[in-house]
Every structure is written in structure tokens, then in C-alpha cells.
Amino acid sequence: MTTLWIAIIVASLGCYGLKLAGVSLPAPVLNHPRVQRISGLLPVAMLAALVVTDLFGANGHYTADWHTLAGVGAGAIALRFGRSPLIVFLVAIAVTALTQLI
Amino acid sequence: MSTFTALRSRIPAAVIAPEPFAERAAITRAAAGIGLYAGAFGVTFGAVAVRAGLSVTQAVAMSAVMFTGASQFALVGVLATGGTLLAGVSAALLLGLRNAFYGIPVTRILRPRGERRALAAQFVIDETTAMAVAQPAPRAGRYAFWATGGALFTLWVLGTLAGALIGGEINTSALGLNAAAPAIFLALLWPQLSQARGAAVALGAAVVALVLIPLVPAGLPIVAAAAVAILAGLLPDRRHEKNQGR
């Protein structure tokens, strides 16, 4: 077995283990009002962080690609008009691809 | 009263015919949309993975077993830029850490037990969690979780296979797929901004992540942003307690 396979297996099982740990918390912990408040806000915080790091970060330094920014901006406008995730996705990649042709 | 009706009245209504709930069609549409996006994004991953030196089998195995896009891109991204395996695995695990946090809201909504817990765990990712927590009732939340998870898993793995087979032939950048991940994360974030402190937490998390980008390894800015949600959740909030409908 190659070291690449070992790395893939370790990382994959590790990621699954993290997911399993999260869904294995005991009920009293989950029913606590503070935990409930936090659990509603966790996706908000992490999704916001993901958007920012995807748009402005790469390998530990700042970067930005205006084509991608234009595409995601167009996606945000689609969201403002109540469009579904699929439409937002299509608008974002279409605008990004088109700006690259200019 | 016939025996049948007498018997029927003792069986919970949900066992006889699950009542459709209002959001069902909208959830199915959204889940299908996310599935399609995942398929296209899976093609990107497959192509990138093969170009980074993975075999087709390795790329597909990653999508099926790791099944968390950001971690997968982190691992192949590190390999593609000549990084060590240890750095790649660390980045993947750091990015996967947020799924452990997602387990909290998912478990609250799903209450999974036994084997179902093991299966539910695999589906705990950004999209399924966001879809589940966005629903007003637990039942709609459970449907949203499984519908999104099933569509996403299937198309993500198939997309990866297609991308890995086509490999270097596709120029994912020219197709605008660099915008795919941030756009879909924004779409998932959007409906949640309206919850109490949602917008403030999103802004705080974005600032924390932005400041940390050059200071810590990839993955950690996102984990650090979780601290913003924890802090905001620890503060007592009358408005939120009044509105606690789920």
C-alpha cells in the first residue's frame, strides 16, 4: 500500500470520526438552552467564514480573483431576489466564466 | 362504529398516512438543486484530484468515505502544490472539524439511534446541516437532511468519477467553477441571517476568518470562527428565547 493511500484512508476515517463524535453527544447536553442557541449559530459562523476564506485566502495568504468575486456578487443579487441555491450556483459560475472571456 | 374505524383510531395518524407538510415540495426542489451543484462540483474535484496525482479509485474513495468537499479539496490542493502528505491530512482534518460542531444541531433535529446514527454521521456536512436547521419544524428538518444528503452524496460521488475519468481534459477555471463553493455557501448562509444575532454572528465570523487567513494554517480560520457562534450563544438573549419555535 502506498503512502498516498494511507494518507487518504487516515484523512477519510478521521473526517468520519469527527462527524460521528458530533452526532454522539448525550441528550442532556443537546437539550441545554445555551447549546440550542449555539447550535443554531454555528452554521452561520462557519458558512460566513467559508465564504470569506474561499474568496480571499489561499495557502495562508491573501488573494482575490475579480472574476470569482463578480460571479459570487451576481449570485448574491440572485439571492436578494429569492432565487434557489441551484439558480445562485448557475448565475455565479456563468458570470465568472463570462467575465473571463472579456 | 366498525372494528376497522375503532382500530384505526388507535393507530397514530402518521403510521397510516404521513401527512404531507407544506415545505416538502420546496425542500425537494432545493435538495435537487444542491444535488446538481454537487454533481458539477464533484466533476471539478475528480479532475483536480487526478491532476494532483491521485488514481480514479482514490478520487472516488475520497468522495465516498471522506465526503466533505472542503477537506477533500484541501488534501488534493496541498498535494498539487507540492506539500507533504502530513500537511494535507492535517488541513483535511482541520476543515472536517466543523462537521463535529454541525453534529449538535443535526442530532437535535434527527435524534438518530444505532445504525441510523452511523449513517446520519456520514451525511453531516455544510449543505445538509444548513438545510435541516433552516426548517421551522423537526419533521421538515429531518426530511431536508435526508433528501439533501441522499441527492448530494449520489451526485458528488458520480460527479467525482466522471471528473476523474475525463481528468485533464476539462478546464474547470474557464467554466467558472472557482465561484461554485463560495456561491453555494452564501446561498446556504442567506436564509439563516434572519435568525436572532444571525447577521451579527456572520459578520463577526467573517472578520475573524479574514484576519486569521495569513496567520494560521488553512482550515483553522473556519474553526476559529465557530468561537463567535459559541460566544453569541452563551450570552442570554430575551428576543431569541421568545421566538424559540423549534
Side-chain angles (χ1 to χ4, degrees):
Chain A
M1 187 176 282
T2 64
T3 47
L4 180 55
W5 259 120
I6 294 168
I8 289 169
I9 291 167
V10 168
S12 298
L13 294 182
C15 283
Y16 178 72
L18 289 167
K19 292 173 177 176
L20 193 62
V23 298
S24 302
L25 288 168
V29 174
L30 296 172
N31 291 331
H32 197 282
R34 278 190 189 137
V35 174
Q36 297 192 0
R37 273 204 301 272
I38 291 168
S39 79
L41 293 171
L42 278 174
V44 176
M46 286 194 274
L47 289 169
L50 278 166
V51 173
V52 167
T53 52
D54 276 358
L55 289 178
F56 303 108
N59 305 322
H61 57 82
Y62 288 121
T63 181
D65 168 42
W66 77 267
H67 307 286
T68 308
L69 287 175
V72 176
I77 294 168
L79 277 170
R80 188 70 188 75
F81 285 95
R83 300 294 142 194
S84 67
L86 178 61
I87 301 296
V88 172
F89 166 73
L90 292 175
V91 166
I93 63 169
V95 170
T96 305
L98 288 173
T99 56
Q100 285 170 355
L101 297 177
I102 298 167
Chain B
M1 192 194 259
S2 74
T3 324
F4 177 73
T5 8
L7 187 68
R8 197 187 155 97
S9 65
R10 286 191 202 167
I11 305 170
V15 176
I16 298 166
E19 265 177 55
F21 44 92
E23 307 88 350
R24 202 184 163 98
I27 293 170
T28 308
R29 271 199 303 279
I34 291 171
L36 285 177
Y37 132 77
F41 203 29
V43 172
T44 313
F45 174 73
V48 170
V50 168
R51 264 183 257 167
L54 271 72
S55 68
V56 175
T57 318
Q58 287 170 329
V60 174
M62 263 180 89
S63 282
V65 184
M66 195 181 289
F67 187 52
T68 175
S71 295
Q72 295 179 225
F73 272 104
L75 178 51
V76 299
V78 170
L79 295 180
T81 52
T84 63
L85 283 174
L86 186 63
V89 172
S90 310
L93 291 175
L94 282 175
L95 280 162
L97 186 56
R98 73 183 183 285
N99 293 327
F101 289 106
Y102 287 157
I104 300 168
V106 167
T107 309
R108 272 196 59 232
I109 296 164
L110 262 66
R111 304 272 170 197
R113 283 164 207 278
E115 289 161 16
R116 190 158 273 226
R117 188 199 297 273
L119 181 61
Q122 181 64 339
F123 280 3
V124 176
I125 51 170
D126 302 295
E127 292 84 353
T128 50
T129 307
M131 281 285 285
V133 301
Q135 310 310 321
R139 198 162 145 236
R142 284 193 289 274
Y143 178 71
F145 179 85
W146 290 111
T148 308
L152 212 159
F153 183 85
T154 309
L155 287 161
W156 176 246
V157 173
L158 289 176
T160 302
L161 178 63
L165 290 173
I166 307 166
E169 313 258 321
I170 25 175
N171 185 347
T172 51
S173 175
L175 292 174
L177 283 165
N178 290 341
I184 209 77
F185 290 142
L186 190 64
L188 293 167
L189 170 65
W190 201 271
Q192 297 183 49
L193 291 175
S194 55
Q195 71 169 292
R197 291 185 181 164
V201 167
L203 188 66
V207 170
V208 167
L210 195 59
V211 168
L212 289 178
I213 284 172
L215 304 177
V216 297
L220 268 187
I222 297 144
V223 175
V228 177
I230 294 169
L231 275 177
L234 287 176
L235 298 169
D237 180 357
R238 289 216 179 85
R239 186 162 73 101
H240 187 268
E241 268 154 28
K242 254 188 242 166
N243 293 343
Q244 223 168 35
R246 54 173 187 255

